[in-house]
Amino acid sequence: ILRYIKIVVLFHHNYNIYKDILINVVAKLPNKQFQLLIPKLREEDFYKEQEPRPIFWHEYTLSQIEDAKATLTFIRETVDSCHSLDLKGQVGKPLTNPKDLAKAVLVCEELHLPERQAQGWLSILGPFVGIYEELDDWVIGEAYHYPEVAYILKQVFDKTKTSDHVLSGDGTWLETSRKQNYESQKKGGDLLVTIVDSREVVQAFDTDEISERAVMRKIIFDVEGDSLRLDAGFVDRALTKKISELGMKPFIFPKKNLLLNGSLAWKQMYLSLLEDTQAWLREYHQRSHTESFHSSFKRVFGILTKRRTSTKIMQIIARIILHNRRRQAYFAKLA
C-alpha cells in the first residue's frame, strides 16, 4: 500500500496518470457486474424514454413554403462565394465555368432531375441561380465527374455546416436499385458513414465498400464536438481513445462479454455507464438522430443514380449540402 501511495504522490501533478493508476492498481475493475448489466440495456422497458423534442409546426410550414426560393438563392450565393481550382497547364478544350456546373449539379439534385430534363429546367431557372449560358445534357452529366466542381462543392459543404457539438455517428447502405431488398441485400450498394449533430446537420461523411469502423476512424478528425455517440458496431478501444484525445466524450454501446480493461478513456466511458445507467443511456440514445438523418436522406433524394465512383461521391455531397441547408433553415426560425 505504501508503494502505491508513493506512486500516487510522485504523479500527483498529472490527474490522468493518477486516476489510471487508481483504477488499474488500487481498485479491482467490476467486470462481472458490468457484463450482467449489458443484457438489460437491450430490454424493452429498461430504458426510461425521454420526451421527444417538440416540432414547431408554424416554423416548419414557413420553411416549406419558402423552400424553393431559399434553396435557389442559397445555391447562387454560396457557390459564387467560393473560389475555383486553378489547374495550370491544362490542355484541351476549356471547361465550362466550374461554378455554373456546380450550380447545375445542386439544382439537379434538389429537383431530382435527370440530365435531359435538367437541360430544359436550367434554361428557365438558370438566370436566377446565375447561370447565363446554355448547358446541354452531356455537359450537365459530365459535371459530376470534374474535380473542379468537386472542389467547389467541398468548399460549400465546409462553409455552410454548423454544429451544436452534440454528435452521433453511424453507417448505412445506399441502395442502387428499387428492386433491392434492404434486409436481404443491404450490402449491395455503397456504404455511407456519417457524423451528425443533434439537429441532424451532417458534420463529416465518407464512403467505403467494406468497413464502417475504418471510415469512422478517418472522419472523426474532421469534426469538433463535446461528445460522440456510436452503436455497438464501433466498439473499438483504439477508436475510443482517439475520440477522447480529440476532446470529445465517447458514448459507445457495449457488446456482450466486454471487459473494462483498456485505456483510461475506455474505463471512464463504461464505469460511468455502470455508475449511472439511465443518465448514460439518455446521452447515448441521442444517436437516434443519425438514424433519422439516414431515413430522411434516402426518402427525400431516393437511390443513387450515378455509377462511376467519382460521380456517386459528387451526388452524395450535393445532397448532403441541400439537406444541411434545409435543417439549418428550420432551426434558424426557432432561434
Side-chain angles (χ1 to χ4, degrees), residues 218-233:
K218 293 189 296 182
I219 65 175
I220 58 172
F221 293 97
D222 299 330
V223 301
E224 294 181 0
D226 300 324
S227 53
L228 177 60
R229 295 144 190 82
L230 302 170
D231 66 19

Side-chain angles (χ1 to χ4, degrees), residues 267-279:
K267 295 185 183 76
Q268 287 178 329
M269 177 173 65
Y270 289 128
L271 285 174
S272 64
L273 169 60
L274 196 58
E275 180 182 358
D276 192 342
T277 305
Q278 291 298 325

Side-chain angles (χ1 to χ4, degrees), residues 157-165 197 199 201-203 324 328:
F157 172 71
D158 290 335
K159 283 183 176 183
T160 58
K161 68 177 181 181
T162 60
S163 175
D164 64 5
H165 302 285
D197 69 6
R199 302 166 304 159
V201 175
V202 180
Q203 305 299 310
N324 281 358
Q328 292 177 100

Side-chain angles (χ1 to χ4, degrees), residues 172-176 188-192 207-209 304 312 316:
T172 186
W173 291 93
L174 300 178
E175 296 83 357
T176 56
D190 290 271
L191 176 61
L192 174 66
T207 60
D208 193 19
E209 295 180 355
L304 294 180
K312 284 190 286 189
I316 290 170

Side-chain angles (χ1 to χ4, degrees), residues 43-236:
E43 292 179 2
E44 185 175 347
D45 299 325
F46 181 78
Y47 171 59
K48 300 175 183 177
E49 294 185 3
Q50 305 303 300
E51 288 293 327
R53 183 164 57 193
I55 299 175
F56 298 89
W57 291 108
H58 177 68
E59 286 76 9
Y60 175 79
T61 302
L62 288 177
S63 294
Q64 296 293 300
I65 292 172
E66 300 168 0
D67 187 64
K69 182 179 178 181
T71 299
L72 296 178
T73 302
F74 166 83
I75 291 172
R76 181 184 69 238
E77 293 178 350
T78 54
V79 173
D80 284 341
S81 69
C82 298
H83 57 276
S84 299
L85 184 63
D86 184 17
L87 296 179
K88 295 182 179 180
Q90 187 179 27
V91 297
K93 183 181 177 181
L95 182 69
T96 304
N97 186 344
K99 290 187 178 181
D100 287 353
L101 297 179
K103 292 173 183 176
V105 168
L106 289 169
V107 171
C108 287
E109 294 308 316
E110 174 63 22
L111 301 179
H112 317 294
L113 297 173
E115 288 83 355
R116 292 176 182 174
Q117 292 182 20
Q119 179 177 340
W121 278 104
L122 286 172
S123 67
I124 301 171
L125 300 176
F128 189 89
V129 296
I131 301 175
Y132 299 102
E133 61 178 308
E134 289 290 329
L135 302 178
D136 64 37
D137 60 329
W138 186 89
V139 171
I140 295 169
E142 284 300 300
Y144 286 83
H145 183 62
Y146 293 131
E148 297 92 332
V149 179
Y151 181 71
I152 290 173
L153 292 182
K154 180 63 166 61
Q155 290 179 70
V156 174
F157 172 71
D158 290 335
K159 283 183 176 183
T160 58
K161 68 177 181 181
T162 60
S163 175
D164 64 5
H165 302 285
V166 181
L167 307 181
S168 304
D170 200 6
T172 186
W173 291 93
L174 300 178
E175 296 83 357
T176 56
S177 169
R178 288 295 184 195
K179 295 181 180 179
Q180 185 176 345
N181 180 281
Y182 182 76
E183 283 300 321
S184 62
Q185 299 175 328
K186 66 179 181 179
K187 294 188 178 182
D190 290 271
L191 176 61
L192 174 66
V193 181
T194 59
I195 296 177
V196 307
D197 69 6
S198 69
R199 302 166 304 159
E200 298 169 27
V201 175
V202 180
Q203 305 299 310
F205 71 95
D206 205 347
T207 60
D208 193 19
E209 295 180 355
I210 303 175
S211 171
E212 59 183 4
R213 194 183 306 177
V215 178
M216 186 60 67
R217 290 195 190 104
K218 293 189 296 182
I219 65 175
I220 58 172
F221 293 97
D222 299 330
V223 301
E224 294 181 0
D226 300 324
S227 53
L228 177 60
R229 295 144 190 82
L230 302 170
D231 66 19
F234 295 95
V235 168
D236 185 321

Side-chain angles (χ1 to χ4, degrees), residues 32 174 326 335:
K32 288 185 178 180
L174 300 178
R326 194 169 287 114

